[in-house]
Amino acid sequence: MATAREIKSRMKSVSSIGKITKAMKMVAAARMRRAQERAAASRPYALKIKEVLSSVVSDPSLLGDLQAKAHPLLQKREVKKVGFLVISSDKGLAGAYSSNVLKRAVTEISATEGEAVIIASGRTARDFFQRRGYKVISEHLGFSDKPSYEDAQELAKVAVARFAAEEIDQLYVVYTIFKTALSQIPTCEQILPVEPPAREEGKAEAAFIFEPSEDEALKVLAPRYLETVIYAALVQAAASELGARMTAMTSATDNAGKLGQKLLVGYNKARQAGITRELTEICGGVEALKQAQN
Amino acid sequence: MATPFTFEIVTPDKMLFATEEAAYVGFKALSGNLGLEAKHLPIIATMDIAPLKVRFTDGSEKCFAVCGGFLEMKDNKCTVLATKAEPGEAIDRARAQASKERAEHRLAAKQEGLDVQRASLSLKRALARLKASEYSGKN
């Protein structure tokens, strides 16, 4: 049995760990709320740009020879190398968040036939794939829990450059969709070549005038659209990361509390046992002295 | 009084500006200056980096610096999709001036390895911001 002093020092460390996890939980909760707000604020732009893109590609004058006239980013070609943009976290202590998204990525990678290359966003993703000998062609660190639109632009720029250089023929993004703080779903979506969103059936649209032209619009629109999709994924992933961290830290705080209780009981027992032992020793000593005097 | 229409500016991180009372929108498309009023035919315009002006039904005006993007108008609703946009009065004029001079210097010096495209884009942005800010300053 551990001595009272040993138990005391463990209690101290457990309670200070509990304080830290509690603080982390509160920070994660506050930031998760903000990340959710950001995700909501980015939605109107994403919806609208999707709408414009679908208007452009479904314009009668482009229809039919879309494939021929299309912007390079929309062109399909034979798939030899498949890129995976894996979005995970920079820091740990977020429960199974990183391992879930990485597991999903590995499943997707083993399901593809071509050669897989990785664009890693987040330290955990980079370390994971480098350790396992995958080809990591680009890494982006430091913004996993607070992505800005510029970060998405940077990622899009890399993706476009690699795609143009035919280093990748297809690009998937693997990230985590935020449902609630308790449920986040790892997902995989194709983002390159850009699949123009289908127009809703039965919605007769007026023909647009394009200024200066559809081609010109598509040239600007395609990379913009890619940025928007990546930004949406980053924002979702950030909210998920913070949500997962909050949940993990909540249970860590609970566990620290429970463990503290257990240790306290153990400590009291040890202390009492010590007192009892001392008393018996003193009594025994007194008895022995008495007998010696007689 | 001019017929009002809905006008909004949306950027990736937020809805920057929205009004129901716009009467006229003037901006620069890649092909040149354009002005739209209510009930314009459906149009999608690709915008240049330039100031954008809105006139309201009460005659007052507001100016924005818009860094490229799209303008869509249909059903009497005009939406500007800009990667970056700032209202004229929020622009730090000294900073814009400084970045304009910096870009000009860089272009004039013609150093080896200069990213001309990047420098001229940055000059364009600075000019748009300056103009938008000057315009808002007058009112």
Side-chain angles (χ1 to χ4, degrees):
Chain A
M1 179 131 187
T3 64
R5 200 198 298 171
E6 276 166 7
I7 298 178
K8 187 97 192 188
S9 83
R10 273 205 70 195
M11 277 168 65
K12 226 184 213 167
S13 81
V14 166
S15 95
S16 61
I17 289 173
K19 273 180 207 153
I20 293 168
T21 55
K22 193 169 178 196
M24 283 182 74
K25 167 190 143 188
M26 293 200 297
V27 170
R31 296 185 54 196
M32 182 190 77
R33 220 183 22 249
R34 242 179 302 154
Q36 268 177 288
E37 278 162 19
R38 225 165 25 180
S42 72
R43 210 156 290 144
Y45 184 84
L47 282 179
K48 200 74 207 175
I49 208 156
K50 215 177 234 181
E51 210 182 294
V52 173
L53 182 64
S54 92
S55 306
V56 173
V57 295
S58 58
D59 188 71
S61 69
L62 266 180
L63 226 58
D65 58 355
L66 179 63
Q67 193 60 35
K69 264 170 90 179
H71 186 272
L73 286 185
L74 275 81
Q75 260 159 9
K76 293 192 182 81
R77 57 178 183 239
E78 199 194 334
V79 179
K80 286 189 214 110
K81 287 184 180 170
V82 187
F84 286 89
L85 167 57
V86 183
I87 302 174
S88 78
S89 63
D90 279 331
K91 291 181 207 132
L93 293 181
Y97 168 76
S98 295
S99 82
N100 279 345
V101 70
L102 295 175
K103 234 185 278 167
R104 177 68 203 251
V106 169
T107 318
E108 293 293 336
I109 290 169
S110 52
T112 53
E113 285 169 5
E115 187 195 338
V117 289
I118 310 289
I119 300 176
S121 162
R123 186 163 287 124
T124 49
R126 182 199 59 180
D127 293 350
F128 179 87
F129 287 110
Q130 259 174 3
R131 225 179 7 246
R132 276 163 186 72
Y134 287 96
K135 202 170 152 203
V136 179
I137 52 174
S138 173
E139 54 183 68
H140 304 266
L141 310 178
F143 54 78
S144 78
D145 53 358
K146 44 173 191 322
S148 69
Y149 193 73
E150 282 75 25
D151 298 324
Q153 279 180 314
E154 183 64 36
L155 278 169
K157 217 163 88 187
V158 171
V160 168
R162 304 284 174 166
F163 188 71
E166 306 212 0
E167 280 172 58
I168 49 177
D169 301 307
Q170 223 176 16
L171 180 67
Y172 289 91
V173 58
V174 184
Y175 69 105
T176 314
I177 292 182
F178 180 88
K179 287 274 174 208
T180 65
L182 289 170
S183 109
Q184 295 105 21
I185 305 158
T187 343
C188 180
E189 279 168 22
Q190 183 190 326
I191 53 173
L192 270 178
V194 174
E195 289 276 3
R199 165 178 300 242
E200 283 166 53
E201 286 292 327
K203 227 171 132 190
E205 289 256 0
F208 279 98
I209 304 169
F210 286 95
E211 191 61 46
S213 67
E214 294 92 328
D215 294 353
E216 206 60 45
L218 209 52
K219 215 193 279 172
V220 185
L221 195 52
R224 255 330 107 65
Y225 180 68
L226 185 66
E227 283 166 12
T228 321
V229 173
I230 293 179
Y231 183 60
L234 284 180
V235 170
Q236 286 287 331
S240 300
E241 181 189 334
L242 294 166
R245 179 161 296 138
M246 186 184 88
T247 324
M249 288 303 117
T250 309
S251 64
T253 312
D254 290 352
N255 287 343
K258 267 185 222 151
L259 188 57
Q261 272 303 316
K262 247 189 222 160
L263 287 173
L264 184 64
V265 172
Y267 170 74
N268 284 340
K269 272 185 189 158
R271 189 174 56 95
Q272 269 166 0
I275 293 168
T276 317
R277 203 182 57 232
E278 267 172 43
L279 273 178
T280 8
E281 275 166 11
I282 293 168
C283 290
V286 171
E287 282 303 309
L289 276 178
K290 258 189 205 161
Q291 290 205 348
Q293 277 170 359
N294 285 342
Chain B
M1 197 175 91
T3 333
F5 62 94
T6 314
F7 173 78
E8 13 178 81
I9 298 183
V10 196
T11 58
D13 37 359
K14 61 173 185 267
M15 181 82 99
L16 183 73
F17 181 75
T19 174
E20 303 273 317
E21 297 287 311
Y24 167 87
V25 180
F27 64 99
K28 193 170 169 209
L30 284 183
S31 48
N33 288 326
L34 275 180
L36 302 181
E37 286 189 340
K39 293 179 185 161
H40 193 283
L41 278 176
I43 181 170
I44 291 177
T46 313
M47 296 191 299
D48 202 355
I49 300 169
L52 174 147
K53 205 196 293 178
V54 196
R55 190 159 63 234
F56 302 98
T57 39
D58 61 6
S60 64
E61 289 182 343
K62 204 167 160 65
C63 197
F64 295 87
V66 178
C67 291
F70 295 91
L71 180 140
E72 183 207 53
M73 172 125 185
K74 73 170 188 208
D75 305 333
N76 231 8
K77 187 174 173 202
C78 180
T79 315
V80 170
L81 291 166
T83 342
K84 255 193 200 147
E86 287 168 286
E89 63 270 12
I91 288 170
D92 182 348
R93 212 184 287 194
R95 236 191 79 201
Q97 184 71 37
S99 78
K100 176 190 158 220
E101 277 156 21
R102 206 167 45 235
E104 275 171 347
H105 274 301
R106 237 183 295 161
L107 281 174
K110 283 214 177 94
Q111 269 171 356
E112 191 105 2
L114 172 78
D115 192 341
V116 177
Q117 206 190 352
R118 213 181 122 208
S120 54
L121 271 180
S122 135
L123 177 62
K124 234 172 165 182
R125 272 199 297 272
L127 281 175
R129 296 175 75 222
L130 271 180
K131 255 189 248 168
S133 147
E134 261 164 41
Y135 189 84
S136 302
K138 261 192 282 180
N139 285 348

